Amino acid sequence: MALGIKNLVNQLPKDSYKPGDVFITNDPWALAGHLNDVCVMSPIFHGKKLAAFTACVFHIRMWAPGLFG
C-alpha cells in the first residue's frame, strides 16, 4: 500500500493539495490490484504546510446496481 500511495501522491503537484481534500479510487492499476478494493486518501497539514498523508484501503464485497439503496 505504501508504494501505491506514494505513486498516487506524485500524480499531483505538492502545492495543489488543500486541507479537506479527500481522494477516492478503485483503479486496480494505481494501488490495490482489484476493482473491489477502494482507497481513500487525504493530506494532513501542520499549519499551512503539507506534512503527511493518511490512507485506508478497504474491500467491497460486490458492485451491483442498487447495492447501496
Side-chain angles (χ1 to χ4, degrees):
M1 182 170 128
L3 182 58
I5 296 299
K6 182 178 180 179
N7 290 334
L8 289 174
V9 165
N10 290 329
Q11 295 294 315
L12 295 173
K14 298 286 189 261
D15 61 348
S16 67
Y17 292 103
K18 305 293 182 225
D21 283 349
V22 177
F23 300 90
I24 303 171
T25 184
N26 74 319
D27 182 347
W29 298 106
L31 189 69
H34 301 139
L35 285 174
N36 291 22
D37 291 335
V38 178
C39 175
V40 179
M41 178 184 80
S42 294
I44 298 172
F45 289 83
H46 184 264
K48 294 186 178 188
K49 183 179 177 184
L50 178 62
F53 286 86
T54 185
C56 176
V57 174
F58 57 93
H59 183 81
I60 293 181
R61 186 172 52 106
M62 59 187 274
W63 293 96
L67 179 66
F68 301 107

